[in-house]
Amino acid sequence: MEVYLHAVEDVGSECFLDLSEFPPFDPDDEASEFGQLLGMAEDPLAALQVAEQRVGAERGRWVNEGVVQDEYGDFVRAGRPAGVSPDGRRWPNLPDVV
């Protein structure tokens, strides 16, 4: 299985949470439009480890595609804070990935 990082421009609001409709940072870069390949994994646990190692993903925040809008909505309603969420978990803060 392949593990991808999908980084898009944060254009959402409480009324617009569909991350699949957010534009890529560089619309002229076809590779960034789909996502950046972080690595390969044999199973879901190994995929989590790739994401943790490459971009600092937090296992407690890992959700499937159908739930990500709910997580993003919580982030927007909290005012897009840096640091930690009200439940004490760290908000995503993605480092540059090379």
Side-chain angles (χ1 to χ4, degrees):
M1 96 180 18
E2 298 174 333
V3 180
Y4 283 88
L5 171 65
H6 296 275
V8 295
E9 188 176 342
D10 185 354
V11 296
S13 68
E14 287 189 47
C15 298
F16 181 56
L17 304 173
D18 188 355
L19 279 71
S20 67
E21 296 296 322
F22 288 14
F25 284 114
D26 183 357
D28 295 327
D29 181 5
E30 290 181 30
S32 72
E33 191 167 334
F34 178 76
Q36 180 179 4
L37 179 64
L38 296 179
M40 303 294 289
E42 292 293 320
D43 55 55
L45 180 58
L48 287 171
Q49 292 168 337
V50 168
E52 289 168 341
Q53 293 167 357
R54 291 295 315 276
V55 295
E58 287 214 14
R59 196 170 295 219
R61 288 209 170 273
W62 198 269
V63 296
N64 67 33
E65 186 176 359
V67 179
V68 71
Q69 277 85 349
D70 294 337
E71 288 284 309
Y72 176 70
D74 291 345
F75 177 70
V76 169
R77 284 186 286 283
R80 293 179 170 85
V84 297
S85 66
D87 64 3
R89 295 186 297 174
R90 185 175 61 90
W91 289 112
N93 183 15
L94 299 175
D96 292 336
V97 178
V98 180

